[in-house]
Amino acid sequence: MNKSLRKAVIAGNWKMNKTPAEAKELITAIAPLVKDAGCEVVACTPYVDLWAAQEAAKGTNIQIGAENCHWAKSGAFTGEISADMLASMDVNIVIIGHSERRQYFGETDVTVHDRTRAALDAGLTVILCVGETLEQREQGITSELVALQTKIALGGVSAEELKRVIIAYEPVWAIGTGKTATAEQANEVCHVIREVIAELYGKAAADGITIQYGGSMNAANAAELLAQPDVDGGLIGGASLKPQDFAAIVEAATKG
Ligand code: PEP
């Protein structure tokens, strides 16, 4: 499979960090460091930071995204934000199904599907997160589990809509723990996901879809991970808050 057929995307997931003023500072610090990136650069921020981050990113190559959206268009869902609300702010990309949402906020494969559907209907690009826990890896069910998560999330998604889906393989045991999957482990599961896409949508779609790795990716390990044939980018948590480290990952993706 030819890696040059697809776009590399490095996306930061800021999680619940940064006030609007701090978001502006962080984007302003990152922008000059990534201006020559040979990959797409995204920063997914808390909702309250979106506007400040967008203002700071104006005229740069950084796209601002969100970290979640609700499945309903509107209604009695106190505290939630709809995909249409994001689209109305010119936010074009959203993370769905992050393992922290699954772990702490009752997100299931079905709600991940519903949120994916809503985001695609609103015209957004989705970064769809899948990945196994340590227990599931030790049980030897990683491939089946990740395949199932992918299939459920993408149920009813058309081949045309799939062009607005990026899949992030994020082993839960590697997120925020400092434990990174080896380059081989990351590639193996990204390859499984690509095979699932081939099964569902055909080879051309599988060759074209961007599949990221996420889980303690940092300036030191990014080059090896991003050089893998099935790893097309990264979803970056902790290191996305450090301009130099994030820029080093963007540079590795540019070479990767
Ligand atoms: C993430 O939040 O998606 C993530 C991969 O976090 P970290 O890079 O901190 O492991």
Side-chain angles (χ1 to χ4, degrees):
M1 273 183 200
N2 187 350
K3 226 178 156 173
S4 68
L5 291 175
R6 42 195 183 256
K7 57 180 193 268
V9 181
I10 297 295
N13 171 20
W14 289 11
K15 312 194 188 207
M16 196 174 72
N17 292 294
K18 305 297 175 188
T19 63
E22 290 167 345
K24 188 175 167 206
E25 263 174 47
L26 183 51
I27 294 294
T28 304
I30 292 171
L33 305 178
V34 302
K35 69 177 177 13
D36 298 321
C39 63
E40 291 194 13
V41 182
V42 181
C44 295
T45 80
Y47 295 129
V48 295
D49 294 342
L50 288 169
W51 192 79
Q54 281 178 321
E55 283 296 300
K58 268 191 188 143
T60 76
N61 56 338
I62 304 174
Q63 293 177 66
I64 304 301
E67 299 176 12
N68 190 23
C69 70
H70 198 262
W71 56 80
K73 278 190 122 20
S74 62
F77 298 103
T78 302
E80 292 291 322
I81 299 284
S82 75
D84 286 345
M85 290 171 180
L86 295 178
S88 76
M89 289 185 72
D90 293 326
V91 172
N92 299 319
I93 186 160
V94 62
I95 298 170
I96 300 285
H98 191 277
S99 67
E100 287 152 16
R101 301 288 323 165
R102 295 179 191 253
Q103 190 176 351
Y104 303 124
F105 302 102
E107 197 81 73
T108 66
D109 289 333
V110 173
T111 59
V112 170
H113 165 270
D114 294 349
R115 291 181 203 267
T116 300
R117 181 70 268 153
L120 291 173
D121 285 344
L124 307 183
T125 290
V126 170
I127 299 179
L128 167 65
C129 300
V130 298
E132 82 288 2
T133 62
L134 187 56
E135 199 185 359
Q136 289 162 338
R137 176 162 280 271
E138 285 169 355
Q139 282 177 287
I141 59 170
T142 298
S143 298
E144 288 97 319
L145 184 99
V146 166
L148 199 63
Q149 289 175 332
T150 305
K151 286 181 182 178
I152 294 173
L154 295 180
V157 170
S158 70
E160 195 51 37
E161 289 169 330
L162 188 75
K163 293 179 184 157
R164 287 188 284 115
V165 176
I166 292 166
I167 300 180
Y169 165 54
E170 297 213 305
V172 180
W173 48 270
I175 297 177
T177 58
K179 281 188 206 156
T180 318
T182 64
E184 292 71 30
Q185 284 170 328
N187 193 65
E188 191 184 358
V189 184
C190 288
H191 186 72
V192 166
I193 295 168
R194 205 174 298 285
E195 305 252 275
V196 170
I197 298 300
E199 188 190 319
L200 296 175
Y201 296 94
K203 185 173 178 319
D207 279 347
I209 194 165
T210 296
I211 303 180
Q212 300 173 317
Y213 167 78
S216 299
M217 194 186 277
N218 57 40
N221 61 27
E224 195 189 354
L225 287 158
L226 294 167
Q228 297 301 307
D230 280 298
V231 179
D232 307 316
L235 184 55
I236 321 296
S240 71
L241 301 173
K242 300 176 191 157
Q244 300 290 346
D245 292 30
F246 189 63
I249 297 170
V250 168
E251 199 185 329
T254 300
K255 291 182 181 147

